[in-house]
Amino acid sequence: MIPTHLPERSTSGDRPAAPRAAALGAALAALAVLLTLSSVVPARADVRTEARNHFRRGMSLITEGRIDDGIAELEEAHRILPHPNVLFNIARAQVEAGRYEQAIDYYDRYLDSDPPDRASVEAQVAELRARLASQRTSVAPQPEAPRPSQPAPSATPSTTTDADLEALDESATQIDMLGQAASSEELRARAERLRALASSLRASRESAGTSSEVAPEPRASEPAEPDRGGSAAPSPETGTRQGDTYEESVVSSARAAQSPLDAPNSTTIITAQDLWLSGNQLPARSLRRVAGVSLLETDPGNVQLNIRGLNQRLSNRIIVLIDGRSVYLDFLGTTLWNMLPLNSEDIDRIEVIRGPASALYGADAFSGIINIITRNPGDGGNYLTAGMGDGGQFRLATGASARVDRFRFRLSAGYQRENNFALDFSPSRVDAHPSARDPYLSYDRLQFDGDVAARLGSGVTLRFGGGLTAGSFTFQGISRLRQLHAENGLFSQVFAQLETDVGLSARVYWNRFGADVANQGLYPAALPLSQVTGFHRQDVIDGELVYRNSFDVGGIDNQIIAGLGYRFKEIDWDWISGRVQSQHHGSLFLQDTLRFSDVVQIVLSARGDLHPLVGPQVSPRGSLVVHPTEGQTIRLTGGAAFRSPTFVESYVSVPNATPLRGATAFGVGSTSLNPERIISVELGYMNAMTDYFTLELNGYFNFVYDFIFLANNQAFRLADFVQGEGRANYDPNNQAFAAGQLFFANEPGIFQQIGGELSARAYPVDGLDIYANYAIHETAPLAGSAPNSPLARDARTSAHMVNAGVQYRAPFGLHLAVDFSWQSDQTWVEQEVDANTNQVVFTAFHLPDYITLNASLGWLLFDDHLDLAIVGTNLVADGHREHPFGQPIDRRFFGAATVRF
């Protein structure tokens, strides 16, 4: 039986309905204000959507021959959201209009982005400059009226050159490409007529015996015809730039850029605009808005994210990446979000992949991945941000980004701090003293980051850089460990990667983490936790070689991605048996995307991992993606994933304090643990048929088994106390006898998960950006499986979660955002010491449902160079806890000013 008593500290109690009613009222009031404003003042939708609409209208107008109107639309798209492809298309349109100077200017601006087709575009610019110089130096007298006996000048075989014919062919190719992009049969027919004209002229000239080696000079009586851009138009290899301009794409689901409609897993993107408008100082807090994602905040410095259940105080079943590089801490099995070396201003988007992803990312991508995509070096400009608020909040951040010839770089730095919501250990106590220098401080962090990209020529790009974060922070431990405090914390990552135009890429990166950890409070004569948790370092070196290629087999388009990987891990920690432990991991993965048509594609993925403790592991995944119409997707995906035992679960050997003076209980790891496993089936539907509304519906069913957990206390027998041997003997360092041990073991039962998500996001005509989603989830033992398991009554993931929000941006600079979240009640089964028996037992802690309401209000000034904003978090202020051992969440306000230059 599992005790069900509820410690006083673990719950907010029976909260009155007033705070929740006030929260709903505040959310509805905010929505009403935004709707009123939108009816009075024209608003703007999501910047990407707005820019995409202008871009598409511009390209359509150009294909209709309304070049100036089309250019105006493209310029507006680029003003809203700069993109080099827009500059390229404006340059092409200027060439078609015969305005070479303007075309050269736009081509030069396009080349400033260091595009991969630089050489081809530079050749086009050189040809344009030559034509422009020729026009300026040539003399073109007015034509004489033709004599009656002389025919008027015409494009005959005697005046048609190879350059003219090539110009006709290239113009036909370009118009045909425009016709395909715009789905215009009229344009494609026009292209065919041009090709037919070129063929006819070529045949006529050959029949007349005209030499094609030298183009005749125009006669004095004939004017030089103005060039309409035929031969100067881009070659077929560098045609119009439409495919990915402003289109939403993801790279995490299949390790290659693709539309979310083609992704084999359900995917959500948090855009840079979402991060900016939310005003959240820690990017992780913005992920609360994603359906199926649970955010657990035990204190301001400790945010843990979980996907589709299996919530943990230290989340160990998802992998967090920065530009595809893992920042997962293998020794403990978690990600410390407040130690990531980056500013939120440098994030381009965050991709959330729900569902097992070990088929591509290996161990620990158990229920999903979160990939933070940063801005490319050279993009984003420069900024300086400063802000402060109540609760000891302070933030200062700066960044610079520039391009120098073929080199691009980005540098950033920042400092941030915040106090706890509540004191876990009062400094006024006389029986003990706090371990932290400042018991009020939740975290402080100083970070630096640098990223450099260089195009080396011949299609080779080198990118390298690194980041470092140093500071102190609080976090939750495992088992009976509660709030812990880390001093002298450090996380660093350095990397280098090489990309080639033949599909081969390589990368290597090195992570280091270190901290000195102690309990929040130190008790005289008690077992000093600081002696056994003084953590020294963890090092991870990860290398990968990847090959990508596309080819056609029997009319089926195949896109292959294959890779080899190696990962070295070493830890030096007082908790570890032998103190220093290291592991070598190898991996091999292969994925083939078979596109049978525009309607059907199949994605097949498999990865093999070689783990030094659990042996070889195979993770397959298969996905059938069907597009019944353009903009709609039905997806069926099945796969398996695993989580490898952490260093703690494998090697830990540490004495724990007990309520009895002079007695300890050992925590013991096991090198014979099985990895946790999941088998998943998911059915999803996505509708993105318009630019103003998206809808996604997912349902999933999982089997989860071999849970790893810390088992009940096992008391030592008298026979275990052997002179000079065994753990049970007297420990002179801690002045205590070992009374028993807690050990890590696999849960024998099998659990099933069933759930679903419904998400919608709308960009109405009036410009408002509105989102809402609902998730339902249940984790329960399989019928007849593990009825006595401590986890059988655990419901730590809310059965129902609702998120909703609105964003508003006015043309005169006002911007608003409101985010609302409701989670139903939870039951956490955690370990504690029973006051009556002094034994470690599993106890069920009930948490009532809670509401989170955040809002931000800002104003852009001086042509968007200055941004003033105020942010309010947890405006309901109901004192709820998001974990039984967490702090009661408090309302806070933060004001910030950002200068962009």
Side-chain angles (χ1 to χ4, degrees), residues 18 182 293 406 886:
V293 172
R406 297 194 176 192

Side-chain angles (χ1 to χ4, degrees), residues 2-45:
I2 300 175
T4 57
H5 67 274
L6 190 62
E8 180 180 352
R9 187 179 178 278
S10 69
T11 179
S12 301
D14 295 327
R15 301 192 307 273
R20 278 178 277 182
L24 291 172
L28 292 174
L31 179 59
V33 170
L34 292 179
L35 291 174
T36 302
L37 284 171
S38 66
S39 64
V40 176
V41 181
R44 296 181 290 182

Side-chain angles (χ1 to χ4, degrees), residues 277-339:
L277 290 179
S278 72
N280 286 321
Q281 304 310 303
L282 290 177
R285 291 174 179 164
S286 295
L287 274 70
R288 189 189 293 273
R289 64 191 290 159
V290 179
V293 172
S294 301
L295 187 148
L296 188 157
E297 187 171 4
T298 59
D299 63 78
N302 183 39
V303 175
Q304 296 292 321
L305 294 167
N306 300 275
I307 298 176
R308 291 181 174 175
L310 306 176
N311 293 5
Q312 293 282 114
R313 281 187 281 167
L314 292 175
S315 175
N316 58 9
R317 295 183 178 93
I318 64 172
I319 289 182
V320 178
L321 313 168
I322 297 180
D323 293 326
R325 304 182 301 272
S326 173
V327 289
Y328 182 81
L329 300 181
D330 299 70
F331 80 100
L332 194 56
T334 192
T335 299
L336 297 177
W337 282 84
N338 61 342
M339 292 295 287

Side-chain angles (χ1 to χ4, degrees), residues 769-886:
D769 179 359
I770 304 172
Y771 76 91
N773 57 67
Y774 167 72
I776 184 172
H777 176 89
E778 181 188 53
T779 299
L782 198 62
S785 174
N788 299 319
S789 168
L791 303 178
R793 295 188 58 190
D794 190 292
R796 59 184 58 194
T797 300
S798 295
H800 307 278
M801 294 184 288
V802 176
N803 303 307
V806 291
Q807 297 177 357
Y808 171 80
R809 297 183 306 114
F812 55 84
L814 176 71
H815 56 87
L816 302 170
V818 177
D819 294 287
F820 167 86
S821 178
W822 172 77
Q823 297 197 36
S824 62
D825 62 325
Q826 304 171 356
T827 299
W828 288 75
V829 175
E830 296 280 13
Q831 288 181 326
E832 67 167 1
V833 177
D834 187 275
N836 297 319
T837 64
N838 288 326
Q839 294 293 314
V840 177
V841 297
F842 287 95
T843 305
F845 297 85
H846 179 260
L847 287 181
D849 66 310
Y850 64 87
I851 286 173
T852 301
L853 181 65
N854 302 328
S856 69
L857 170 65
W859 203 285
L860 291 168
L861 302 169
F862 304 113
D863 197 22
D864 295 353
H865 289 293
L866 175 63
D867 185 10
L868 303 177
I870 183 169
V871 181
T873 57
N874 193 44
L875 297 177
V876 179
D878 57 359
H880 73 269
R881 302 177 195 267
E882 298 181 4
H883 185 273
F885 309 147

Side-chain angles (χ1 to χ4, degrees), residues 235-246:
S235 64
E237 292 78 10
T238 58
T240 59
R241 300 288 189 273
Q242 284 208 111
D244 62 349
T245 306
Y246 301 125

Side-chain angles (χ1 to χ4, degrees), residues 191-211:
E192 289 302 318
R193 289 196 296 271
L194 282 176
R195 288 195 182 97
L197 175 61
S199 178
S200 175
L201 289 174
R202 188 175 286 108
S204 298
R205 189 179 61 178
E206 290 174 356
S207 64
T210 304
S211 172

